[in-house]
Coordinates of all heavy atoms in Angstrom, one line a residue:
M1 N 208.0 49.8 150.2 CA 208.9 48.7 150.4 C 209.9 49.0 151.4 O 210.3 50.1 151.6 CB 209.6 48.2 149.2 CG 208.7 47.5 148.1 SD 209.6 46.8 146.7 CE 211.0 48.1 146.3
K2 N 210.4 48.1 152.1 CA 211.5 48.3 153.1 C 212.7 47.6 152.6 O 212.7 46.8 151.7 CB 211.2 47.5 154.4 CG 209.9 47.9 155.1 CD 210.2 49.2 155.8 CE 208.8 49.5 156.7 NZ 209.0 50.8 157.2
K3 N 213.9 48.3 152.8 CA 215.1 47.9 152.4 C 216.2 48.1 153.5 O 216.0 49.2 154.2 CB 215.5 48.6 151.1 CG 216.9 48.1 150.7 CD 217.1 48.7 149.2 CE 218.6 48.4 148.7 NZ 218.7 48.9 147.3
V4 N 217.1 47.3 153.8 CA 218.2 47.6 154.8 C 219.4 48.2 154.1 O 219.9 47.6 153.1 CB 218.6 46.3 155.5 CG1 219.7 46.5 156.5 CG2 217.3 45.8 156.3
I5 N 219.6 49.4 154.4 CA 220.8 50.1 153.9 C 221.5 50.7 155.0 O 221.0 51.3 155.9 CB 220.3 51.3 152.9 CG1 219.6 50.8 151.9 CG2 221.5 52.0 152.5 CD1 218.8 51.9 150.9
A6 N 222.9 50.3 155.1 CA 223.7 50.8 156.1 C 223.3 50.5 157.5 O 223.2 51.2 158.5 CB 224.0 52.3 156.2
N7 N 222.8 49.1 157.6 CA 222.2 48.6 158.7 C 220.9 49.2 159.3 O 220.7 49.2 160.5 CB 223.2 48.5 159.8 CG 224.4 47.5 159.6 OD1 224.1 46.5 158.8 ND2 225.6 48.0 159.8
K8 N 220.3 50.0 158.4 CA 219.1 50.7 158.8 C 218.0 50.3 157.8 O 218.2 50.2 156.6 CB 219.2 52.2 158.7 CG 220.4 52.7 159.6 CD 220.6 54.2 159.2 CE 221.8 54.6 160.1 NZ 222.4 55.7 159.4
E9 N 216.8 50.2 158.3 CA 215.7 49.7 157.5 C 215.0 51.1 157.1 O 214.6 51.9 157.8 CB 214.6 49.0 158.4 CG 213.5 48.5 157.4 CD 212.6 47.5 158.2 OE1 211.6 48.0 158.7 OE2 212.7 46.3 158.0
V10 N 214.9 51.3 155.7 CA 214.5 52.5 155.2 C 213.5 52.2 154.2 O 213.3 51.0 153.7 CB 215.6 53.3 154.4 CG1 216.6 53.8 155.3 CG2 216.2 52.4 153.3
D11 N 212.5 53.1 153.8 CA 211.4 52.8 152.9 C 211.9 53.4 151.5 O 212.3 54.5 151.4 CB 210.3 53.7 153.3 CG 209.7 53.2 154.7 OD1 209.4 52.1 154.9 OD2 209.5 54.2 155.5
V12 N 211.7 52.5 150.5 CA 212.1 52.9 149.2 C 210.7 52.5 148.2 O 210.0 51.6 148.6 CB 213.3 52.0 148.8 CG1 214.6 52.4 149.5 CG2 213.1 50.6 148.8
N13 N 211.0 53.1 147.1 CA 209.8 52.7 146.1 C 210.4 51.6 145.2 O 211.4 51.2 145.4 CB 209.5 54.1 145.3 CG 210.6 54.5 144.3 OD1 211.6 53.9 144.0 ND2 210.5 55.8 143.9
E14 N 209.7 51.4 144.2 CA 209.9 50.2 143.4 C 211.2 50.3 142.6 O 211.8 49.4 142.0 CB 208.7 49.8 142.4 CG 208.4 50.8 141.4 CD 207.6 52.0 142.0 OE1 206.9 51.9 143.2 OE2 207.4 53.0 141.4
E15 N 211.7 51.7 142.4 CA 212.9 51.8 141.7 C 214.2 52.0 142.7 O 215.2 52.2 142.2 CB 212.8 53.2 140.9 CG 211.9 52.8 139.6 CD 211.8 54.2 138.9 OE1 211.0 55.1 139.2 OE2 212.5 54.1 137.8
G16 N 213.8 51.8 144.0 CA 214.9 52.0 145.0 C 215.1 53.3 145.6 O 216.0 53.5 146.4
Y17 N 214.4 54.3 145.2 CA 214.6 55.8 145.6 C 213.9 55.8 147.0 O 212.8 55.3 147.4 CB 213.8 56.7 144.7 CG 214.6 57.0 143.4 CD1 214.5 56.0 142.3 CD2 215.4 58.0 143.3 CE1 215.1 56.2 141.2 CE2 216.1 58.3 142.2 CZ 216.0 57.4 141.1 OH 216.7 57.6 139.9
L18 N 214.6 56.5 148.0 CA 214.0 56.7 149.3 C 212.7 57.4 149.2 O 212.5 58.3 148.4 CB 215.0 57.5 150.1 CG 216.2 57.0 150.5 CD1 217.1 57.9 151.5 CD2 216.1 55.5 151.3
V19 N 211.8 56.9 150.1 CA 210.5 57.5 150.0 C 210.4 58.7 151.1 O 209.6 59.7 151.0 CB 209.3 56.4 150.5 CG1 208.0 57.1 150.6 CG2 209.3 55.3 149.4
D20 N 211.2 58.6 152.1 CA 211.3 59.5 153.3 C 212.7 60.2 153.2 O 213.5 59.4 153.8 CB 210.9 58.9 154.6 CG 210.8 59.9 155.7 OD1 211.2 61.1 155.5 OD2 210.5 59.5 156.8
F21 N 212.8 61.4 152.9 CA 214.2 62.0 152.9 C 214.9 62.0 154.3 O 216.1 62.0 154.3 CB 214.1 63.4 152.2 CG 215.4 64.0 152.2 CD1 216.4 63.6 151.3 CD2 215.8 65.3 153.0 CE1 217.7 64.4 151.4 CE2 216.9 65.9 152.9 CZ 217.9 65.5 152.1
K22 N 214.0 62.0 155.3 CA 214.5 62.1 156.6 C 215.4 60.8 157.0 O 216.2 60.8 157.9 CB 213.4 62.2 157.8 CG 212.7 63.5 157.6 CD 211.5 63.7 158.5 CE 210.8 65.0 158.2 NZ 209.3 64.8 158.2
Q23 N 215.2 59.8 156.3 CA 215.9 58.6 156.5 C 217.3 58.5 155.7 O 218.0 57.7 156.0 CB 215.2 57.3 156.1 CG 213.8 57.0 156.6 CD 213.0 55.8 156.0 OE1 213.0 55.7 154.9 NE2 212.4 55.2 156.9
W24 N 217.6 59.6 155.0 CA 218.9 59.8 154.5 C 220.0 60.2 155.4 O 219.7 61.1 156.2 CB 218.8 60.7 153.2 CG 220.1 60.8 152.4 CD1 220.4 60.1 151.2 CD2 221.1 61.7 152.6 NE1 221.6 60.5 150.8 CE2 222.1 61.4 151.6 CE3 221.4 62.7 153.6 CZ2 223.2 62.2 151.5 CZ3 222.5 63.3 153.5 CH2 223.5 63.2 152.6
D25 N 221.1 59.6 155.3 CA 222.3 60.3 155.9 C 223.5 59.8 155.2 O 223.4 59.1 154.2 CB 222.3 59.9 157.5 CG 222.5 58.4 157.7 OD1 222.9 57.7 156.8 OD2 222.2 57.9 158.8
R26 N 224.6 60.3 155.6 CA 225.9 60.0 154.9 C 226.2 58.6 154.8 O 226.6 58.1 153.7 CB 227.1 60.8 155.5 CG 227.1 62.2 155.1 CD 228.4 62.9 155.6 NE 228.5 64.2 155.0 CZ 229.4 64.4 154.0 NH1 230.3 63.5 153.7 NH2 229.6 65.5 153.5
E27 N 225.9 57.8 155.9 CA 226.2 56.3 155.7 C 225.2 55.7 154.6 O 225.5 54.8 153.9 CB 225.9 55.5 157.1 CG 226.9 55.9 158.1 CD 226.7 55.2 159.5 OE1 225.7 54.6 159.5 OE2 227.4 55.5 160.5
V28 N 224.0 56.1 154.7 CA 223.0 55.6 153.7 C 223.5 56.0 152.4 O 223.5 55.1 151.4 CB 221.5 56.0 154.0 CG1 220.6 55.7 152.8 CG2 221.0 55.5 155.3
C29 N 223.9 57.2 152.2 CA 224.4 57.7 150.9 C 225.5 56.9 150.4 O 225.6 56.4 149.4 CB 224.9 59.2 151.0 SG 225.6 59.9 149.6
E30 N 226.5 56.6 151.2 CA 227.6 55.7 150.9 C 227.4 54.5 150.4 O 227.8 54.0 149.5 CB 228.7 55.7 152.0 CG 229.4 57.1 152.5 CD 230.6 57.3 151.5 OE1 231.0 56.6 150.7 OE2 231.3 58.4 151.9
C31 N 226.4 53.8 151.2 CA 226.0 52.5 150.7 C 225.2 52.4 149.3 O 225.5 51.6 148.4 CB 225.0 51.9 151.9 SG 226.0 51.3 153.2
I32 N 224.3 53.5 149.1 CA 223.6 53.4 147.9 C 224.6 53.8 146.8 O 224.6 53.2 145.7 CB 222.5 54.7 147.9 CG1 221.4 54.3 148.9 CG2 221.9 54.9 146.5 CD1 220.4 55.4 149.1
A33 N 225.7 54.7 147.0 CA 226.7 55.0 146.0 C 227.4 53.7 145.7 O 227.7 53.5 144.5 CB 227.5 56.0 146.5
G34 N 227.7 52.9 146.7 CA 228.5 51.6 146.4 C 227.6 50.7 145.6 O 228.2 50.0 144.7
E35 N 226.4 50.7 145.9 CA 225.5 49.8 145.0 C 225.5 50.3 143.6 O 225.3 49.5 142.6 CB 224.1 49.8 145.5 CG 223.8 49.2 146.9 CD 222.5 49.3 147.4 OE1 221.6 49.9 146.9 OE2 222.3 48.7 148.6
C36 N 225.8 51.5 143.3 CA 225.8 52.1 142.0 C 227.2 52.2 141.5 O 227.5 52.7 140.5 CB 225.3 53.5 142.1 SG 223.5 53.7 142.5
N37 N 228.2 51.6 142.2 CA 229.6 51.5 141.7 C 230.2 53.0 141.6 O 230.9 53.3 140.7 CB 229.8 50.8 140.5 CG 229.4 49.3 140.5 OD1 229.7 48.6 141.5 ND2 228.5 48.9 139.5
V38 N 229.8 53.7 142.6 CA 230.2 55.1 142.6 C 231.0 55.4 144.1 O 230.5 55.0 145.1 CB 229.1 56.3 142.6 CG1 229.7 57.6 142.9 CG2 228.5 56.1 141.2
V39 N 232.2 55.8 143.9 CA 233.0 56.1 145.2 C 232.9 57.5 145.5 O 233.3 58.4 144.6 CB 234.4 55.6 145.0 CG1 235.3 56.0 146.2 CG2 234.6 54.2 144.8
M40 N 232.4 57.9 146.5 CA 232.1 59.2 146.9 C 233.5 60.2 147.1 O 234.3 59.7 147.8 CB 231.3 59.5 148.0 CG 229.7 58.8 147.8 SD 228.8 59.7 146.6 CE 228.4 61.2 147.4
T41 N 233.5 61.2 146.4 CA 234.7 62.2 146.7 C 234.0 63.5 147.0 O 232.7 63.7 147.1 CB 235.3 62.4 145.3 OG1 234.5 63.0 144.4 CG2 235.9 61.1 144.6
E42 N 234.9 64.5 147.2 CA 234.3 65.8 147.7 C 233.4 66.4 146.6 O 232.5 67.1 146.9 CB 235.5 66.7 148.0 CG 236.1 66.6 149.3 CD 235.2 66.6 150.5 OE1 234.3 67.5 150.7 OE2 235.2 65.6 151.3
K43 N 233.8 66.2 145.4 CA 233.0 66.7 144.4 C 231.6 66.0 144.2 O 230.6 66.7 144.0 CB 233.7 66.6 142.9 CG 233.1 67.3 141.8 CD 233.2 68.8 142.2 CE 232.8 69.7 141.1 NZ 232.6 71.2 141.4
H44 N 231.6 64.6 144.6 CA 230.3 64.0 144.6 C 229.6 64.7 145.7 O 228.2 64.9 145.4 CB 230.5 62.5 144.8 CG 230.9 61.7 143.8 ND1 232.3 61.4 143.6 CD2 230.4 61.0 142.8 CE1 232.4 60.6 142.6 NE2 231.2 60.4 142.1
W45 N 230.1 64.9 146.8 CA 229.3 65.5 147.9 C 228.7 66.8 147.6 O 227.6 67.2 148.0 CB 230.2 65.6 149.3 CG 230.4 64.2 149.8 CD1 231.6 63.6 150.1 CD2 229.4 63.3 150.3 NE1 231.3 62.3 150.6 CE2 230.0 62.2 150.8 CE3 228.0 63.4 150.6 CZ2 229.4 61.1 151.4 CZ3 227.3 62.4 151.1 CH2 227.9 61.3 151.6
E46 N 229.6 67.6 146.8 CA 229.1 68.9 146.5 C 228.0 68.9 145.6 O 227.0 69.7 145.7 CB 230.2 69.6 145.8 CG 230.1 71.1 145.5 CD 231.3 71.8 144.8 OE1 232.4 71.2 144.9 OE2 231.0 72.8 144.1
V47 N 228.0 67.9 144.6 CA 226.7 67.7 143.7 C 225.5 67.3 144.5 O 224.5 67.8 144.3 CB 227.1 66.7 142.6 CG1 225.9 66.4 141.9 CG2 228.2 67.4 141.7
V48 N 225.7 66.2 145.4 CA 224.7 65.8 146.2 C 224.1 66.8 147.1 O 222.8 67.1 147.1 CB 225.2 64.6 147.1 CG1 224.1 64.4 148.3 CG2 225.4 63.3 146.3
E49 N 224.9 67.8 147.7 CA 224.3 68.9 148.4 C 223.6 69.9 147.6 O 222.5 70.5 148.0 CB 225.5 69.6 149.2 CG 226.0 68.8 150.4 CD 227.3 69.3 150.9 OE1 227.8 70.4 150.5 OE2 228.0 68.6 151.7
Y50 N 224.0 70.1 146.5 CA 223.3 71.0 145.5 C 222.0 70.4 145.1 O 221.0 71.1 145.1 CB 224.1 71.3 144.2 CG 223.3 71.8 143.1 CD1 223.2 73.3 143.0 CD2 222.8 71.0 142.0 CE1 222.5 73.8 142.0 CE2 222.2 71.5 141.0 CZ 222.0 72.9 140.9 OH 221.1 73.6 140.0
L51 N 221.9 69.2 144.7 CA 220.6 68.4 144.4 C 219.8 68.5 145.6 O 218.4 68.8 145.4 CB 221.0 67.1 144.0 CG 221.7 66.9 142.7 CD1 222.1 65.4 142.5 CD2 221.0 67.3 141.5
Q52 N 220.2 68.2 146.7 CA 219.2 68.3 147.9 C 218.7 69.6 148.1 O 217.6 69.7 148.5 CB 220.0 67.6 149.1 CG 220.3 66.2 149.1 CD 221.1 65.6 150.3 OE1 221.8 66.5 150.8 NE2 221.1 64.4 150.6
D53 N 219.6 70.6 148.0 CA 219.1 72.0 148.2 C 217.9 72.3 147.2 O 217.1 72.9 147.5 CB 220.3 73.0 148.0 CG 219.9 74.4 148.2 OD1 219.4 74.7 149.3 OD2 220.2 75.2 147.3
K54 N 218.1 72.0 146.1 CA 217.2 72.3 145.0 C 215.9 71.5 145.2 O 214.9 72.0 145.1 CB 217.7 71.8 143.6 CG 218.7 72.7 142.9 CD 218.1 74.0 142.6 CE 219.1 74.9 141.9 NZ 218.5 76.2 141.7
H55 N 216.0 70.3 145.8 CA 214.9 69.4 146.1 C 214.0 70.1 147.3 O 212.8 70.2 147.2 CB 215.2 68.0 146.5 CG 214.3 67.3 147.1 ND1 213.2 66.8 146.4 CD2 213.9 66.7 148.4 CE1 212.2 66.1 147.2 NE2 212.8 66.0 148.5
L56 N 214.8 70.5 148.3 CA 214.2 71.2 149.6 C 213.5 72.5 149.1 O 212.5 72.9 149.8 CB 215.1 71.4 150.6 CG 215.7 70.0 151.3 CD1 216.9 70.4 152.1 CD2 214.6 69.4 151.9
K57 N 214.0 73.2 148.1 CA 213.4 74.4 147.6 C 212.3 74.1 146.6 O 211.7 75.2 146.0 CB 214.4 75.3 146.9 CG 215.4 75.9 147.8 CD 216.4 76.8 147.3 CE 217.5 77.2 148.2 NZ 218.6 78.0 147.4
E58 N 212.1 72.7 146.2 CA 211.0 72.3 145.3 C 211.2 72.9 143.9 O 210.4 73.2 143.2 CB 209.6 72.7 145.9 CG 209.3 72.0 147.2 CD 207.9 72.3 147.6 OE1 207.1 72.9 146.9 OE2 207.6 71.9 148.9
E59 N 212.6 72.9 143.5 CA 212.9 73.4 142.2 C 213.2 72.2 141.4 O 213.8 71.2 141.7 CB 214.2 74.3 142.2 CG 214.0 75.6 143.1 CD 215.2 76.4 143.2 OE1 216.2 76.2 142.3 OE2 215.2 77.5 144.0
P60 N 212.7 72.2 140.1 CA 212.9 71.0 139.3 C 214.2 70.9 138.9 O 215.1 71.8 138.8 CB 212.0 71.2 138.0 CG 211.8 72.6 138.0 CD 211.9 73.2 139.5
L61 N 214.7 69.6 138.8 CA 216.1 69.2 138.3 C 216.1 68.8 136.9 O 215.1 68.0 136.6 CB 216.6 68.1 139.4 CG 216.8 68.4 140.7 CD1 217.0 67.2 141.5 CD2 218.0 69.4 140.8
S62 N 217.1 69.2 136.2 CA 217.4 68.6 134.8 C 218.8 68.9 134.5 O 219.6 69.5 135.2 CB 216.5 69.6 133.9 OG 217.2 71.0 133.9
I63 N 219.3 68.1 133.6 CA 220.6 68.3 133.1 C 220.9 69.6 132.8 O 222.2 70.2 133.1 CB 220.8 67.2 131.8 CG1 220.8 65.9 132.3 CG2 222.4 67.5 131.2 CD1 221.8 65.1 133.2
R64 N 220.0 70.4 132.1 CA 220.3 71.7 131.7 C 220.6 72.6 132.8 O 221.5 73.5 132.9 CB 219.1 72.2 130.8 CG 219.4 73.6 130.4 CD 218.3 74.2 129.5 NE 218.5 73.5 128.2 CZ 217.6 73.1 127.3 NH1 216.3 73.3 127.6 NH2 217.8 72.5 126.1
G65 N 219.7 72.4 133.9 CA 219.9 73.0 135.2 C 221.3 72.9 135.9 O 221.8 73.8 136.3
I66 N 221.6 71.6 135.9 CA 222.9 71.2 136.4 C 224.0 72.0 135.7 O 224.9 72.5 136.3 CB 223.3 69.7 136.2 CG1 222.2 69.0 137.1 CG2 224.6 69.4 136.7 CD1 222.2 69.0 138.6
K67 N 223.9 72.0 134.2 CA 225.0 72.7 133.5 C 225.0 74.2 133.8 O 226.1 74.7 133.9 CB 224.5 72.6 132.1 CG 225.5 73.2 130.9 CD 224.9 73.0 129.5 CE 225.8 73.7 128.5 NZ 225.4 73.6 127.2
K68 N 223.9 74.8 134.1 CA 223.8 76.3 134.5 C 224.1 76.5 135.8 O 224.4 77.6 136.1 CB 222.5 76.8 134.1 CG 222.1 76.8 132.5 CD 220.8 77.4 132.3 CE 220.4 77.4 130.9 NZ 219.0 78.0 130.6
S69 N 224.3 75.6 136.8 CA 224.4 75.7 138.1 C 225.9 76.3 138.5 O 225.9 77.0 139.4 CB 224.2 74.5 138.9 OG 225.4 73.5 138.7
G70 N 226.8 75.9 137.7 CA 228.2 76.4 138.1 C 228.9 75.5 139.1 O 230.0 75.5 139.4
V71 N 228.1 74.5 139.6 CA 228.5 73.5 140.4 C 229.5 72.4 139.8 O 230.5 72.0 140.4 CB 227.5 72.7 141.2 CG1 227.9 71.6 142.1 CG2 226.6 73.7 142.0
I72 N 229.1 72.0 138.5 CA 229.8 71.1 137.9 C 229.6 71.1 136.4 O 228.4 71.7 136.0 CB 229.5 69.6 138.3 CG1 230.3 68.5 137.9 CG2 228.0 69.3 138.0 CD1 230.1 67.2 138.6
N73 N 230.6 70.9 135.6 CA 230.2 70.9 134.1 C 229.7 69.7 133.7 O 229.9 68.6 134.4 CB 231.4 71.3 133.2 CG 232.6 70.3 133.5 OD1 232.4 69.1 133.1 ND2 233.8 70.8 133.6
I74 N 229.0 69.5 132.6 CA 228.3 68.3 132.1 C 229.2 67.2 131.9 O 228.8 66.1 132.4 CB 227.5 68.6 130.9 CG1 226.2 69.6 131.3 CG2 227.0 67.4 130.3 CD1 225.4 69.1 132.4
K75 N 230.4 67.4 131.4 CA 231.2 66.3 131.1 C 231.7 65.6 132.3 O 231.7 64.5 132.6 CB 232.5 66.9 130.4 CG 233.2 65.8 129.5 CD 234.4 66.6 128.8 CE 234.9 65.7 127.7 NZ 235.9 66.4 126.8
E76 N 231.9 66.4 133.6 CA 232.4 65.9 134.8 C 231.2 65.2 135.5 O 231.5 64.2 136.1 CB 233.0 67.0 135.7 CG 233.6 66.6 136.9 CD 234.1 67.8 137.7 OE1 233.9 69.0 137.4 OE2 234.8 67.5 138.8
F77 N 230.0 65.7 135.3 CA 228.8 65.2 136.0 C 228.6 63.8 135.3 O 228.4 62.8 136.1 CB 227.6 66.1 135.5 CG 226.3 65.7 136.2 CD1 226.3 65.4 137.5 CD2 225.2 65.6 135.5 CE1 225.0 65.2 138.2 CE2 223.9 65.3 136.1 CZ 223.8 65.0 137.5
Y78 N 228.8 63.6 134.0 CA 228.6 62.2 133.4 C 229.8 61.3 133.9 O 229.6 60.2 134.1 CB 228.7 62.4 131.9 CG 227.4 62.6 131.2 CD1 226.8 64.0 131.2 CD2 226.5 61.6 130.8 CE1 225.6 64.2 130.6 CE2 225.1 61.9 130.3 CZ 224.8 63.1 130.3 OH 223.5 63.5 129.8
A79 N 231.0 61.9 134.1 CA 232.1 61.0 134.7 C 231.8 60.7 136.0 O 232.2 59.5 136.4 CB 233.4 61.8 134.5
L80 N 231.4 61.6 136.9 CA 231.3 61.2 138.3 C 230.0 60.2 138.4 O 230.1 59.5 139.4 CB 230.8 62.5 139.1 CG 232.0 63.5 139.4 CD1 231.4 64.7 140.1 CD2 233.0 62.8 140.1
F81 N 228.9 60.4 137.7 CA 227.8 59.4 137.8 C 227.5 58.8 136.5 O 226.5 59.2 135.8 CB 226.6 60.3 138.3 CG 226.8 61.0 139.5 CD1 227.2 62.3 139.6 CD2 226.6 60.4 140.9 CE1 227.4 63.1 140.9 CE2 226.8 60.9 142.0 CZ 227.3 62.3 142.0
P82 N 228.3 57.9 136.1 CA 228.1 57.2 134.8 C 226.9 56.4 134.7 O 226.4 55.9 135.6 CB 229.4 56.3 134.6 CG 229.8 56.1 135.9 CD 229.5 57.3 136.8
G83 N 226.3 56.4 133.4 CA 225.2 55.5 133.3 C 223.9 56.2 133.7 O 222.9 55.6 134.4
G84 N 223.7 57.4 133.3 CA 222.4 58.3 133.8 C 222.8 59.1 134.9 O 222.3 58.8 136.0
P85 N 223.5 60.1 134.8 CA 224.0 61.0 135.8 C 222.9 61.5 136.8 O 223.0 61.5 138.0 CB 224.8 62.0 135.3 CG 224.4 62.1 133.8 CD 223.9 60.7 133.4
L86 N 221.8 62.0 136.2 CA 220.8 62.7 137.0 C 220.0 61.7 137.8 O 219.7 61.9 138.9 CB 219.9 63.5 136.1 CG 219.0 64.5 136.9 CD1 219.8 65.4 137.8 CD2 218.0 65.3 135.9
K87 N 219.6 60.6 137.1 CA 219.0 59.5 137.8 C 219.9 58.9 139.0 O 219.3 58.7 140.0 CB 218.7 58.5 136.7 CG 217.7 57.4 137.1 CD 217.4 56.5 135.9 CE 216.2 55.6 136.0 NZ 215.9 54.8 134.9
K88 N 221.1 58.6 138.6 CA 222.0 58.0 139.7 C 222.3 59.0 140.8 O 222.2 58.6 142.0 CB 223.3 57.5 139.0 CG 224.0 56.6 139.8 CD 225.2 56.0 139.0 CE 224.7 54.9 138.1 NZ 225.8 54.1 137.4
S89 N 222.5 60.1 140.4 CA 223.0 61.2 141.5 C 221.7 61.4 142.5 O 221.9 61.6 143.6 CB 223.4 62.4 140.9 OG 222.4 63.1 140.1
T90 N 220.5 61.6 141.8 CA 219.3 61.8 142.8 C 219.1 60.5 143.7 O 218.6 60.7 144.9 CB 218.1 62.2 141.9 OG1 217.8 61.2 141.0 CG2 218.2 63.6 141.3
L91 N 219.3 59.4 143.1 CA 219.1 58.2 143.8 C 220.1 58.2 145.1 O 219.8 58.0 146.1 CB 219.5 56.9 143.1 CG 219.4 55.6 143.9 CD1 218.0 55.3 144.2 CD2 219.9 54.5 143.0
I92 N 221.4 58.5 144.9 CA 222.4 58.6 145.8 C 222.0 59.8 146.9 O 222.2 59.6 148.1 CB 223.8 58.8 145.2 CG1 224.2 57.6 144.6 CG2 224.8 59.2 146.3 CD1 225.5 57.7 143.5
A93 N 221.5 60.9 146.4 CA 221.1 62.0 147.2 C 220.0 61.8 148.1 O 219.7 62.6 149.0 CB 221.0 63.2 146.3
G94 N 219.2 60.7 147.8 CA 218.1 60.3 148.6 C 216.9 61.1 148.4 O 215.9 61.3 149.2
I95 N 216.8 61.6 147.1 CA 215.7 62.5 146.7 C 215.0 61.8 145.6 O 215.5 60.9 144.8 CB 216.1 63.9 146.3 CG1 217.0 63.9 145.0 CG2 216.7 64.7 147.5 CD1 217.4 65.4 144.6
P96 N 213.7 62.2 145.3 CA 213.0 61.5 144.2 C 213.6 61.6 142.8 O 214.2 62.7 142.5 CB 211.6 62.3 144.2 CG 211.4 62.9 145.5 CD 212.9 63.2 146.0
K97 N 213.4 60.8 142.0 CA 213.8 60.7 140.6 C 213.1 61.9 139.9 O 212.0 62.0 140.0 CB 213.4 59.4 139.9 CG 214.0 59.4 138.5 CD 213.8 58.1 137.8 CE 212.3 57.9 137.4 NZ 212.1 56.7 136.6
P98 N 213.9 62.8 139.3 CA 213.3 64.0 138.5 C 212.3 63.4 137.5 O 212.5 62.4 136.9 CB 214.4 64.7 137.9 CG 215.6 64.2 138.7 CD 215.4 62.7 139.1
K99 N 211.3 64.2 137.3 CA 210.3 63.9 136.2 C 211.0 63.8 134.8 O 210.4 63.2 133.9 CB 209.2 65.0 136.2 CG 208.4 64.8 137.5 CD 207.2 65.8 137.5 CE 206.3 65.9 138.6 NZ 206.5 65.1 139.8
S100 N 212.1 64.6 134.6 CA 212.7 64.6 133.3 C 213.5 63.3 133.1 O 213.9 63.1 131.9 CB 213.6 65.8 133.3 OG 214.7 65.7 134.3
C101 N 213.5 62.4 134.1 CA 214.2 61.1 133.8 C 213.3 60.0 133.5 O 212.1 59.9 134.1 CB 214.9 60.6 135.2 SG 216.4 61.6 135.6
I102 N 213.5 59.2 132.6 CA 212.6 58.2 132.2 C 212.7 57.0 133.0 O 213.7 56.6 133.5 CB 212.8 57.8 130.8 CG1 212.5 58.9 129.9 CG2 211.9 56.6 130.3 CD1 212.9 58.8 128.3

């Protein structure tokens, strides 16, 4: 499917996740975050960069992995990305939804 985000046409799946990570940039990220009612802060960007790095290394993502990362504690992760933090943060980061998310 095609969707216009930040005045750019991007490819998304049926859940709204980007199909092609190369289409992601900060403007696209800000728009997706806005759709999720998330206002990006430096801590959000730090988490997004961590998630993208893990994705590029083809390492699986999980809440437990986030907890052990040292990037953010779980309480803060839930506060930054309320309503399904891993699902929402990966959507904003422009990477596929982790298999651990339903």
